[in-house]
Amino acid sequence: LVTGAAGRDTPSPATSSEVRRVLVTGAAGRVGKEVVARLAKAGDFVVRAATRGDGAYARSLGAHEVVQWDLEDASTWGPAMEGVTHLFSSTQDKYIAQHMDFAKFCGEHHAGSLQHIVRVCTFGAETNTAAYDDATHVSRSGAAIPLMLQHYWWSEECFLRAGFGDRLTSLRGNFFMNHLLKNELGRIREEGAFASPLGDTKNSFVACNDMGEAAAVVLAEGAARHGDKAYDICGAAPQSMAEVAATLTEALATPLAREVVPDVAGKAVRYEPQDAAQFEADFGATRAEFFEYLRNGFYSRSSPCFYNLTGHRPLSYYEYLTTEGAAGDTGLAELFSDQGALYTKGQDLFKGLQDVKR
């Protein structure tokens, strides 16, 4: 465990007989960084950032403590959880088996000390607040719910099974803004174009900043108010990929773009439809079948949940691209950075995940 002065001018948590310490997993990620920055600035928690790196970035965001934590190394779980009263849980999809083991570990070793868990996931397969049948696809007869979507639900359910039902808040986010473009940055830079199999379908992509703000709000207000609750967090309005391209073009024409992404500032970006079969060849069947839900309208709706939590509407895509989040960077800077660059063409990150069992 590394402790020390925060990298930012952030207040220290008030001294009390019971210190509220939150472990933020994925602390350097697009949502985790916002949670760290917001909670550190508020000063109500000792913010412990979980990382596999040296923690310098988390400390620059205001983290009071940095600890090594790795889902693939169970020996890191105990030290990371020592003294923790609150948990922000965000993990990559491919680690679903390890995540479920970690939830079980929390139930076995921290059932009496964990007061609140906030889990980032998505909606569409849950069976507590809805009655989805995992064998029933919403738009294709005879098909099951996409495996990734089932695993998102399992990532919540494992905390319920571990005994945290009255202390669990689920933030079910839509697909993240910018996420679909990460694999296309080379083409955007070189050709001013990106490809996607989504066609004309509109989806209410959500800003990572809004996910982070929602998480900070429910953690601060506590399990007494938000335990055993689930919130669907969506964007301000649904957009097609052609509209995404137009919005990105508009943002790249701003003075901000010349400051933060000068190599692409002023570039006009166009959308090119991609064959679904080619997308599956590039990224594998598991990711491709999830994208079918982004083509059939399932994620088109917006939701009032973010407004009900925060008192204001979520960000539009243009606002996300051009507005600094709590962590100090804009969506434009995030898009053209390495953050969230999880997928590589020709590599199937989900190979073998069909064999994972609850």
Side-chain angles (χ1 to χ4, degrees):
L1 179 68
V2 180
T3 61
R8 290 185 172 193
D9 210 5
T10 54
S12 297
T15 302
S16 67
S17 58
E18 183 181 355
V19 174
R20 296 204 302 172
R21 176 176 281 104
V22 59
L23 179 71
V24 179
T25 67
R30 290 175 292 172
V31 178
K33 68 181 183 182
E34 289 290 306
V35 177
V36 169
R38 286 182 175 275
L39 293 181
K41 183 177 181 180
D44 297 325
F45 288 90
V46 174
V47 179
R48 177 178 292 175
T51 179
R52 288 183 293 182
D54 64 7
Y57 178 60
R59 284 192 292 273
S60 77
L61 298 175
H64 303 99
E65 302 174 349
V66 175
V67 67
Q68 291 291 311
W69 182 81
D70 188 339
L71 268 181
E72 295 186 286
D73 183 359
S75 70
T76 66
W77 300 352
M81 287 295 297
E82 185 177 351
V84 168
T85 59
H86 294 66
L87 173 65
F88 171 77
S89 174
S90 175
T91 51
Q92 289 185 36
D93 308 330
K94 64 180 180 179
Y95 297 125
I96 181 61
Q98 295 90 338
H99 168 74
M100 290 190 293
D101 287 342
F102 177 67
K104 183 178 180 181
F105 167 86
C106 289
E108 292 174 345
H109 299 281
H110 298 278
S113 55
L114 262 180
Q115 300 172 18
H116 195 188
I117 299 172
V118 174
R119 173 65 190 171
V120 170
C121 48
T122 195
F123 51 90
E126 61 274 7
T127 57
N128 61 340
T129 60
Y132 289 106
D133 178 1
D134 61 10
T136 305
H137 196 282
V138 300
S139 61
R140 184 154 47 91
S141 178
I145 286 176
L147 182 65
M148 284 180 65
L149 200 49
Q150 294 180 39
H151 285 178
Y152 287 133
W153 162 236
W154 293 3
S155 76
E156 292 183 54
E157 185 187 42
C158 60
F159 283 120
L160 301 179
R161 291 186 172 193
F164 294 107
D166 60 337
R167 290 167 279 173
L168 177 66
T169 304
S170 299
L171 296 181
R172 296 170 177 164
N174 207 320
F175 224 77
F176 292 169
M177 292 174 179
N178 283 347
H179 194 62
L180 298 184
L181 304 183
K182 284 291 185 176
N183 299 115
E184 297 291 308
L185 293 184
R187 285 203 65 206
I188 291 173
R189 284 190 167 101
E190 295 169 11
E191 304 173 33
F194 67 85
S196 166
L198 299 192
D200 295 328
T201 305
K202 296 187 177 186
N203 294 279
S204 58
F205 303 113
V206 65
C208 299
N209 295 1
D210 288 341
M211 293 293 293
E213 181 177 355
V217 166
V218 298
L219 281 165
E221 294 179 349
R225 182 168 181 175
H226 298 290
D228 194 24
K229 296 289 192 299
Y231 302 106
D232 294 350
I233 310 298
C234 303
Q239 283 190 302
S240 69
M241 297 311 291
E243 290 169 336
V244 166
T247 300
L248 180 55
T249 297
E250 183 182 5
L252 289 175
T254 61
L256 171 70
R258 292 195 294 272
E259 177 185 344
V260 300
V261 286
D263 60 320
V264 288
K267 188 175 287 292
V269 180
R270 69 184 185 277
Y271 162 64
E272 296 180 352
Q274 182 181 24
D275 179 71
Q278 183 59 53
F279 183 83
E280 181 170 342
D282 287 342
F283 299 107
T286 299
R287 193 170 188 230
E289 70 173 8
F290 180 62
F291 268 51
E292 188 172 359
Y293 265 49
L294 293 169
R295 297 199 311 273
N296 63 20
F298 188 83
Y299 288 103
S300 293
R301 68 180 180 87
S302 293
S303 163
C305 291
F306 182 80
Y307 180 91
N308 292 340
L309 288 171
T310 67
H312 61 90
R313 68 162 175 80
L315 294 169
S316 69
Y317 186 42
Y318 181 80
E319 289 165 343
Y320 175 60
L321 289 173
T322 58
T323 304
E324 280 193 3
D329 53 1
T330 63
L332 273 177
E334 179 266 304
L335 173 59
F336 291 97
S337 74
D338 292 334
Q339 292 183 18
L342 305 178
Y343 302 99
T344 302
K345 286 184 180 180
Q347 296 182 13
D348 184 355
L349 290 184
F350 306 105
K351 188 176 182 179
L353 287 190
Q354 70 275 7
D355 299 325
V356 174
K357 307 298 181 184
R358 286 151 131 156

